[in-house]
Amino acid sequence: MTKTFVTRRRWWIAASAVAVGGSLLGVQAAASGAAAPAAWSNTPEGFASTDGGTTGGAGGETVTVDTFEELNQYATAEEPYIIRVDGTIEYEQMGYEVRVASNKTIVGVGTGGEIVGGGFFLNEVSNVIVRNLTIRDTRMPDDDPGDDDYDYDAIQMDGADHVWIDHNRLERMNDGLIDSREDTTNLTVSWNIINENNKTFGIGWTDNVTARITIHHNWFTDTNARNPSIDNVANAHLYNNYLQNTGSGNWSRGSSNTVIENSYFEGVTDPYYITDDAQLVESGSIVVDSEGDRQTGGDGFDPGSFYDYTLDPASEVPALLEAGAGPQADIS
């Protein structure tokens, strides 16, 4: 396995494009001789791609839902489903988390698929994709200023395996935007906007050190703690993330082994740091207008020994994510 260093061509400013297998290829990039990647891959990069990959509801029926009752019916079913969320679905019970069963894809239609007032819970399930959605607004600021009393997550995972969380906008939840708990593994979190939250992205809640997680091309903005907090993760690979105006940075703790590559930290307190017996190796990142710790230690690991991946230059990360993170019209 190898990692590839490229300068991605700006497919969104290409003068024209050609459709190939449902994706767009910038012809300017092709003319320049540079690689012209598909706009968005329908398969994950990172640990979710290993050991057979993550396919979600592939092979199952495709259904389109626009009510909570329909979403809950198909997401909790035993059979595989590709569930297209068309428009805004408001949960009647604030903070409820739909119990997603194995072999499901839940994907927003265009940029308008929204989950409001609740989220999803993946408990001891496998092979799930959550993609192209906005999940928002369970915040209880008057009753719970520290996000301690109401466990209203956007996406919570306990003991889940092979999960891909991609191109979502997650914001203003009363607790975590993403909680990866109890040995959840083979997880890839990519191209998400992670926005306006207190306890943002927590990983751990276990004494075991077995989990393998990839976090790449995410835009953390105006968040406070856990960006992410990585506790007892055997292999945590973070690359090409953009942290902007956050109260903390990438925290490797417990016995975690963390590798950070080519990320961009702007206005961040403690951009990257370690506690306990954790390891953290960093390379290629840019830090601006930030203060506090930049700690490294330990040997790290070689992510390329697990999977192939592509690194963008850190200098290009803000523009890439401002243009390409979050829900996209051409994904669903």
Side-chain angles (χ1 to χ4, degrees):
M1 297 290 184
T2 60
K3 60 184 176 184
T4 303
F5 296 85
V6 302
T7 300
R8 291 180 190 263
R9 307 308 300 174
R10 299 291 194 264
W11 56 267
W12 55 86
I13 61 170
S16 58
V18 292
V20 179
S23 300
L24 296 178
L25 298 179
V27 296
Q28 282 188 346
S32 72
W40 310 116
S41 173
N42 284 320
T43 58
E45 188 170 274
F47 279 114
S49 71
T50 65
D51 297 340
T54 302
T55 59
E61 182 182 355
T62 298
V63 295
T64 301
V65 303
D66 58 11
T67 67
F68 170 81
E69 291 75 17
E70 292 173 328
L71 173 64
N72 191 59
Q73 173 189 345
Y74 292 112
T76 61
E78 293 184 4
E79 302 83 5
Y81 279 103
I82 298 172
I83 304 163
R84 303 170 72 247
V85 176
D86 190 4
T88 299
I89 295 178
E90 293 199 37
Y91 287 21
E92 292 184 4
Q93 180 181 336
M94 175 64 76
Y96 185 79
E97 296 172 5
V98 168
R99 273 56 177 171
V100 181
S102 296
N103 305 314
K104 300 293 183 294
T105 296
I106 306 174
V107 58
V109 176
T111 59
E114 291 196 323
I115 304 298
V116 179
F120 297 106
F121 183 25
L122 282 59
N123 185 21
E124 302 290 340
V125 299
S126 64
N127 194 30
V128 174
I129 297 171
V130 180
R131 200 170 190 217
N132 212 48
L133 291 167
T134 295
I135 307 176
R136 60 178 176 86
D137 291 321
T138 62
R139 184 175 287 175
M140 307 282 284
D142 297 331
D143 299 322
D144 190 16
D147 291 348
D148 296 318
D149 297 331
Y150 297 89
D151 186 13
Y152 296 168
D153 299 319
I155 303 171
Q156 178 174 314
M157 297 164 284
D158 285 2
D161 179 58
H162 282 92
V163 179
W164 186 26
I165 300 171
D166 179 70
H167 274 102
N168 302 289
R169 185 181 186 98
L170 310 174
E171 56 192 4
R172 298 186 300 273
M173 303 298 281
N174 202 95
D175 198 37
L177 296 180
I178 303 173
D179 275 357
S180 178
R181 303 161 31 114
E182 298 180 3
D183 308 319
T184 292
T185 192
N186 294 318
L187 167 67
T188 294
V189 178
S190 57
W191 292 98
N192 300 284
I193 297 173
I194 297 172
N195 182 45
E196 293 185 34
N197 218 68
N198 180 22
K199 297 177 180 178
T200 307
F201 185 174
I203 306 168
W205 290 269
T206 180
D207 293 328
N208 301 318
V209 187
T210 59
R212 310 188 309 174
I213 297 174
T214 303
I215 301 166
H216 74 89
H217 290 94
N218 298 284
W219 184 8
F220 294 76
T221 177
D222 295 322
T223 55
N224 185 24
R226 303 180 183 175
N227 294 300
S229 167
I230 306 162
D231 187 19
N232 284 342
V233 174
N235 301 107
H237 183 203
L238 286 64
Y239 63 96
N240 287 145
N241 295 298
Y242 180 23
L243 276 68
Q244 181 187 46
N245 300 328
T246 65
S248 65
N250 299 156
W251 179 15
S252 185
R253 53 192 289 233
S255 296
S256 293
N257 194 348
T258 300
V259 172
I260 300 171
E261 299 182 283
N262 290 31
S263 290
Y264 197 101
F265 301 88
E266 179 182 4
V268 177
T269 301
D270 300 325
Y272 44 87
Y273 58 109
I274 55 178
T275 58
D276 310 310
D277 297 320
Q279 301 180 63
L280 189 156
V281 174
E282 183 280 326
S283 64
S285 298
I286 293 174
V287 180
V288 297
D289 298 328
S290 299
E291 60 183 13
D293 289 332
R294 303 183 209 178
Q295 297 176 336
T296 59
D299 298 325
F301 64 97
D302 177 14
S305 68
F306 294 99
Y307 49 77
D308 297 334
Y309 65 103
T310 298
L311 279 176
D312 291 302
S315 60
E316 298 192 1
V317 164
L320 281 169
L321 296 185
E322 287 169 9
Q328 303 294 313
D330 61 342
I331 283 180
S332 62

